[in-house]
Amino acid sequence: MSMRALNRVRGWRGRNRKLYARILVWQLAILALTSAIGFVLLAIAQRAQLDREYENQALAIARTTAAEPQIQHAMEYGGGGNVVQEIAQRIKNASRASYVVVFDLHGVRHSHPHPALIGQRDPGVTVDGQTHVGIDVGFTGISANGRAPLLSPSGKLLGQVSVGIPEKKVTGELWSELPSFGLYAGIALGVGVVAAYTLAHRLKRNTFGLELEDLAGLLQDREAMLHGIREGVVALDPHGRITVVNDEARRLLGLGTALGSRLDEALPDGRLRRALDGTLTGSDVTVLTDSHCLVVNRMPVTLHGHELGAVVTVRDRTELVGLLRELDSVRGLTDALRSQQHEFSNRMHTLAGLLELGEHDAAYEFAVESAGAEPLLAESVRDRIGNPLMVGLVMAKTTVAAERGVRLALTEDSELGEQPPHLDRLLTIVGNLVDNAVDAAASGGQGPPEVRLAVVEDPTRVTVRVADSGPGVPAVARDRIFEDGWSTRPDRGTARRGLGLALVHRLVQRHGGTIDVSEGPGAVFTVVLPQPHAADADEAGTDGTEELPRTRLAEKGAGW
């Protein structure tokens, strides 16, 4: 779609909202929110880290105090007294702790920042000889607390030393570090803003400035168009993967759930896949499948010099081609009837002239000879072929061949019953092969133009052999002669060449038969169809209905 068409779509929608601007605003809001959350989480983590550091610092002061010899001596022999309070106060002032408290084994304080509490028991203290850290809420406020056991020089447990560092020191250090955290968050936010703006600008360019409503409308229109048209549409990416396939394409090509698959994974190797992947070039490429006659067109898609893949359209022309061939067949029979009319008029004029000259005997002989030629030919065909439909086909082809100056002869070894099991397939095969042979014989070759037809039925198979006096099939063409669309002759009227032999080949293979062609001069096509088993008699009876469209399509052969 061109930019002008896209702008018209935007005008039809009547909206001018900036999708990229909305996306940018939302991205900035998300970035700001995540940056704030990250800043808060980082501050919380740093606060926990500082608490641990100050708790360990308090524990270190407590261990230093517990290792003081004077305190150990006073607690072991002197019962404490002012010595413990003085030394604990000195250590408190030197370390800037909020308190340094010495407890005995009963939890009685021997030092405290508030002298009134000395000598009183703290019920929340347990002297167990272990170190402890944590947050303590006491008379001096919230503190990072560390507790260490107090031991005598001999290792006897005397009590416990508890040291607290005021929480305001932790908070003060945290506040001193917050500006650097804010700087990091600001840098990350700035980088995110630049990235968001770049992404929004690129999104605007990739969507051609369309808004969300426009994109949704285009998607709905595309789906409605793809699944509403009567042509199959397949879109391929540059790597040959199927990105879009509508319902008609699934039906005609038998793709099924092929979305996302490569062509070589979805379709077997053949003319159809070569037409879809671009190996076969040109417009209106004719492809014959088991059920349809398709016309395939492939159009590469490029944007700003970049290859985006290709779009393939597939049209079903089965009925149209069949009708065109019926029309061409009717025209051929009409020409043959017109020729017979002229021939009949000439004979009547000759007969009238003989009678006028009084040559009654000569007139009688001429009349008998003219009246018996056609019935003799029909009787000769009926002696070898019992089915009236096949007799009618052979007689019609004989008349058409004679119009083109070609003699069509049924061989002496031909023999076909009244109800052959392959009747409809035989009508298709014989009609196409004879038409091709007449074309070849009429185009030149060695000797007089002639086509020889043999149809032989035995208990195991039915054999059809058609030989012509034409130039034969070139050796280089033997591998391609049964490909649909291949021909060495131009189209004839409304009938498109290159389909007749392909139809015969597919029909024979589908029913387990074989088809062979000899090298020139003069081509000999031999088709062998196996007789169906007795258990398949009912199935064979339905084959005629299944093949009727195929017979109608192939009745007038496409030529080589």
Side-chain angles (χ1 to χ4, degrees):
M1 183 180 291
S2 64
M3 288 300 298
R4 182 178 300 175
L6 292 177
N7 290 332
R8 284 203 301 269
V9 172
R10 294 188 62 187
W12 293 335
R13 300 284 178 188
R15 299 182 177 90
N16 195 25
R17 301 173 185 173
K18 302 297 184 183
L19 172 63
Y20 71 95
R22 283 185 284 172
I23 292 178
L24 179 61
V25 170
W26 277 105
Q27 285 179 324
L28 294 179
I30 293 173
L31 284 172
L33 179 62
T34 54
S35 298
I37 294 175
F39 179 80
V40 172
L41 293 177
L42 184 60
I44 294 174
Q46 186 63 19
R47 173 59 184 266
Q49 179 66 25
L50 290 175
D51 284 340
R52 287 192 295 271
E53 291 180 1
Y54 277 90
E55 288 169 0
N56 292 330
Q57 184 178 346
L59 179 60
I61 297 173
R63 285 173 173 171
T64 301
T65 303
E68 180 65 36
Q70 292 180 352
I71 293 179
Q72 293 176 354
H73 185 272
M75 291 297 294
E76 186 175 7
Y77 300 107
N82 294 331
V83 175
V84 175
Q85 172 67 5
E86 292 175 357
I87 296 174
Q89 192 67 22
R90 186 171 64 248
I91 294 174
K92 169 186 171 297
N93 295 333
S95 62
R96 297 182 179 181
S98 60
Y99 60 84
V100 176
V101 180
V102 179
F103 297 94
D104 60 15
L105 294 176
H106 302 287
V108 177
R109 303 183 185 93
H110 289 262
S111 66
H112 199 276
H114 300 290
L117 297 177
I118 297 176
Q120 296 183 8
R121 184 176 180 275
D122 189 346
V125 173
T126 300
V127 180
D128 56 2
Q130 304 294 326
T131 60
H132 299 277
V133 294
I135 302 299
D136 178 41
V137 180
F139 291 99
T140 59
I142 301 176
S143 303
N145 178 259
R147 299 183 182 186
L150 176 61
L151 303 175
S152 66
S154 61
K156 179 182 177 183
L157 180 63
L158 302 177
Q160 181 178 261
V161 178
S162 177
V163 176
I165 297 178
E167 184 71 12
K168 61 182 179 180
K169 292 185 65 175
V170 180
T171 305
E173 186 169 348
L174 177 63
W175 278 103
S176 66
E177 294 181 0
L178 287 182
S180 61
F181 297 162
L183 177 62
Y184 298 149
I187 294 175
L189 180 60
V191 173
V193 168
V194 174
Y197 177 79
T198 303
L199 179 62
H201 182 72
R202 183 173 183 179
L203 181 63
K204 174 186 176 182
R205 183 181 61 187
N206 291 342
T207 59
F208 303 101
L210 292 176
E211 306 304 325
L212 287 175
E213 295 82 2
D214 299 330
L215 294 175
L218 287 176
L219 179 60
Q220 293 174 358
D221 295 343
R222 190 200 74 162
E223 290 298 313
M225 178 188 68
L226 285 177
H227 298 289
I229 61 178
R230 294 294 303 274
E231 290 188 359
V233 178
V234 180
L236 307 170
D237 66 7
H239 304 290
R241 293 190 177 275
I242 301 174
T243 57
V244 175
V245 56
N246 68 347
D247 298 335
E248 186 69 4
R250 295 181 191 275
R251 183 183 73 85
L252 295 176
L253 304 179
L255 290 177
T257 56
L259 202 62
S261 303
R262 293 176 56 87
L263 279 177
D264 54 5
E265 299 170 349
L267 293 173
D269 186 23
R271 182 176 173 84
L272 177 59
R273 195 174 84 186
R274 295 197 297 272
L276 294 179
D277 63 18
T279 304
L280 296 179
T281 58
S283 60
D284 291 343
V285 177
T286 303
V287 178
L288 193 66
T289 66
D290 289 340
S291 304
H292 305 282
C293 178
L294 307 178
V295 176
V296 179
N297 282 282
R298 188 178 192 272
M299 178 65 67
V301 179
T302 58
L303 182 64
H304 303 310
H306 298 287
E307 191 141 343
L308 303 181
V311 175
V312 181
T313 58
V314 182
R315 289 171 289 170
D316 187 5
R317 291 294 181 265
T318 306
E319 292 299 326
L320 178 60
V321 173
L323 291 174
L324 291 176
R325 297 193 178 282
E326 283 192 9
L327 177 60
D328 189 71
S329 177
V330 171
R331 287 182 177 177
L333 292 175
T334 302
D335 292 340
L337 290 175
R338 186 180 298 112
S339 175
Q340 286 185 341
Q341 179 185 2
H342 293 165
E343 181 66 20
F344 180 77
S345 298
N346 292 333
R347 291 180 180 180
M348 290 297 100
H349 292 160
T350 302
L351 184 60
L354 291 175
L355 291 176
E356 186 176 353
L357 294 174
E359 298 289 340
H360 299 92
D361 294 338
Y364 176 77
E365 293 177 0
F366 179 77
V368 171
E369 180 182 356
S370 300
E374 192 70 20
L376 286 176
L377 175 61
E379 189 64 28
S380 175
V381 174
R382 289 194 189 96
D383 289 341
R384 298 176 177 83
I385 298 178
N387 184 267
L389 293 178
M390 182 62 71
V391 172
L393 177 65
V394 173
M395 294 300 298
K397 296 300 181 184
T398 302
T399 303
V400 174
E403 168 65 15
R404 303 187 61 185
V406 178
R407 177 177 177 269
L408 174 61
L410 189 66
T411 61
E412 296 291 336
D413 61 341
S414 295
E415 183 178 356
L416 189 66
E418 293 185 2
Q419 295 296 330
H422 294 292
L423 177 59
D424 292 291
R425 290 191 285 274
L426 286 175
L427 292 173
T428 299
I429 293 169
V430 172
N432 278 277
L433 293 181
V434 169
D435 282 342
N436 283 308
V438 170
D439 284 344
S443 65
Q446 296 181 354
E450 183 182 14
V451 173
R452 297 177 302 281
L453 169 65
V455 182
V456 181
E457 180 184 10
D458 59 39
T460 60
R461 61 185 179 178
V462 176
T463 303
V464 177
R465 185 179 299 104
V466 179
D468 62 72
S469 60
V473 179
V476 295
R478 293 192 64 191
D479 295 333
R480 300 183 55 200
I481 193 171
F482 296 113
E483 290 186 5
D484 42 313
W486 188 90
S487 177
T488 60
R489 297 176 61 82
D491 292 348
R492 183 183 65 217
T494 58
R496 183 161 187 168
R497 294 186 178 273
L499 296 179
L501 291 179
L503 281 168
V504 172
H505 183 258
R506 289 177 183 270
L507 186 59
V508 171
Q509 283 195 330
R510 184 178 181 182
H511 295 281
T514 60
I515 180 170
D516 298 314
V517 57
S518 68
E519 296 183 358
V524 179
F525 287 86
T526 304
V527 174
V528 177
L529 289 176
Q531 291 279 24
H533 298 294
D536 298 334
D538 294 337
E539 180 182 354
T542 62
D543 286 346
T545 303
E546 178 185 359
E547 300 298 338
L548 280 177
R550 193 183 304 266
T551 302
R552 182 168 57 183
L553 173 65
E555 186 173 340
K556 286 298 293 178
W560 294 334

